[in-house]
Amino acid sequence: MLTRGTTDSALVIADAPAATRVADPDGAAQLLAGLVDRLHAVTGAQVVVASADGPDRWVVTTDDHALPSEVDWDVWADRLARPQLTAPSGCASPIHREVISGDQPLTLLALGRETAIVLAGDLSALDDVLDMAATAAMSMLTCADLTTDLASLAEEQTEFARLLAIRDVDQLLLSTVNTANRLIDADMAGVMLMDDDELFMKCCVGNRSRRTERLRFAHGQGVAGLVMERAEPCKVDDYLASDLITHDFDSLARVEETRSALAAPLIVDGRPIGVLEVWRRRPSIFTDRSVRQLVTLADLAAIAITNARLHSQAAASLAQLEQTTQSLSDQLRIVERARETQTTLNQLLLGGEGAEAVSRAIGIQLDAHIVLLSSRLEVLGTWPHGLSVDDVIEALRSSTRVDHPGTEAFSVEMQSGRWLGAHSIRAGSDHLGWFCTLFEEPPGVGEDLVIGEAVTVTALCHLMERAADEARIGQRETLVWDLIEGPVGQRRAAADRARWLRVDLNRPRRVIRAEILRTTPTGTQYPDETAYEQARYRAMTKVRAATMTSGAGDFVAIRGNELAAIVGDDDEDALRRLVRTLDEAARGALPGQQMAWGVSGRCATLLELDRANAEAISAVRAAARLDLGGVALYDELGVVRLIVAEDEGDLSRFLRDVIGPLLEHDAERNSELVD
């Protein structure tokens, strides 16, 4: 179709790249205006300048004052729109004629593919003049185009060099689409990159819809999909009417008001990695020059994208290497710290310093507070000394993980804002207690490693202490049984060992015996013999601990359901209180069972403990058979001793206690009072 337009200049050509992209656009317009004036003066015909607007459409731009206006150019619109008047470049002659109606001819002088001069009238007699004029004009416009191309090439080289220098991929893509928009004189531009088997819009400028920014193309879809499939540039001058492409995105094209599109592949090592595409919203065609410019830009962009990706990968690898180096350095410091800690703890362990020394060393090294607790949350030691541990115990009691049998370690934030780390101290299946640390901040890997070493050494300290206690207890148990049950020689040897253990041999002693009475059958409390044996062992252990805690000494021996203890010679009330304390300790660990307790008379030396043992056994029998409250003192049994006596030794001792002075009187005076 043919349209008309005006400007302040003598003559301009709308949407004509060959005329508007010269170094001096006003000079090109003046050139054409002068040519129009000259042709009008020579031929006397109506003259106008037209420029290509699409493959088969021309736009006429004229000035009502510069040219005669008798010709109705709108009448010529249909004739000028016919394909035979378009793209005359390459013909032998630039002159083309058409008859509008009757004998009114139309003459078109082609000045390249995009610019033409249209004359009204029969000018066949002036073909030579018109041909010379068209050739001269084409030469002058070609020179102007070359000047423009050189200036544009210099600008493009600068722009391309700047793109190649960009190392950030996102910044590179944005600069690429902006450059494409500017070079191709487009309204919208975008870069699409491959993602698996699809293209997705990576960067877009000039778009009106957010949908455009999220576009994805399969192979063959739209212009970009076609370019990706064929790996060659593609252009469409009328997007909605083109039969070259699929129309999956026509709805979006209407929103964006897309009229034409041009796309070029981004190729690396012969393989397309994406597409660079530009769009225009106005009627126009993309020239060969535009195609060359976009292809060149796409090639450089592909190289720049590859370089930027390699740079990013190199930077990421370098950062990863630095991070790995730092991590290895940190781990090395942690290992060195752990090794130093292990050396220190081993020295403490070998030196027999114990768990408290371990706590002190770890507390100083980690600048933390340490609390050692038993499995029942009883305080075994702290660092620093005198540290308040009520909040620690409360935090542990409120945590359900303390009672979970599989819990090895956990951390909790206390109300004070400090972090409590609790590590279970275990030796095999035995839970010995808790190693607790208090930090201002959550402990890191290094602290956890050091604490783990400390927990292990603390468990070893407990085991060594337990082994030492068991050895000491075993030694004293053997000594007790030898003193109260052994023959004379064995008792003398035991007395010598007692002297080595710093036992006062001249202090009067008594023997306490006890026996667990199975008064109830095995039931829910003790489902089997193993459970009962474990409960019995705990009860006897409690009695031993209570004996030592009460100050009665540590000469306690356990054998099956029997217990024997060598204690000092106290009055009857003190002895009853001691036995009551021991009985309560046993009942707490062995509920539902009864114990019988017997206390011997006084013996002056350790060699008389065999007699005291027999007396204590007789007292146990009396306590078990008679209603004596479970406790019997041999000195208070009187004639009951005869009832519970099982050998002549008990009877002899009873007689000696009752009529001993009378027997001594008869022996000294040879009297017969006994008879």
Side-chain angles (χ1 to χ4, degrees), residues 305 367 512:
I305 290 172
D367 191 21
I512 297 178

Side-chain angles (χ1 to χ4, degrees), residues 368-488:
H369 292 171
I370 310 295
V371 179
L372 285 179
L373 300 174
S374 69
S375 58
R376 298 179 179 272
L377 303 185
E378 302 163 336
V379 180
L380 302 179
T382 64
W383 174 260
H385 297 298
L387 178 67
S388 176
V389 298
D390 293 340
D391 55 344
V392 175
I393 295 176
E394 180 61 28
L396 291 178
R397 290 189 190 279
S398 61
S399 176
T400 57
R401 286 173 287 186
V402 171
D403 300 324
H404 195 281
T407 301
E408 294 295 331
F410 63 92
S411 298
V412 294
E413 186 175 8
M414 302 174 60
Q415 294 182 352
S416 61
R418 294 189 298 177
W419 283 84
L420 169 63
H423 289 72
S424 178
I425 305 174
R426 294 185 180 275
S429 60
D430 294 337
H431 184 206
L432 307 178
W434 295 95
F435 191 99
C436 302
T437 54
L438 291 171
F439 290 95
E440 297 298 328
E441 298 178 354
V445 177
E447 287 77 9
D448 286 341
L449 191 58
V450 170
I451 294 172
E453 293 287 342
V455 171
T456 301
V457 174
T458 301
L460 291 175
C461 289
H462 279 295
L463 289 178
M464 292 177 63
E465 292 173 359
R466 177 188 289 182
D469 289 342
E470 290 179 352
R472 179 175 55 80
I473 290 171
Q475 185 182 38
R476 291 180 182 265
E477 281 189 334
T478 302
L479 181 62
V480 169
W481 294 122
D482 288 348
L483 286 173
I484 66 177
E485 293 184 347
V488 175

Side-chain angles (χ1 to χ4, degrees), residues 282-318:
R282 61 191 182 276
S284 64
I285 60 172
F286 289 102
T287 64
D288 294 341
R289 183 170 179 272
S290 298
V291 175
R292 288 193 301 272
Q293 284 181 313
L294 191 67
V295 169
T296 302
L297 179 60
D299 291 341
L300 289 174
I303 297 173
I305 290 172
T306 302
N307 291 341
R309 285 177 171 176
L310 291 175
H311 181 270
S312 298
Q313 292 174 1
S317 299
L318 181 60

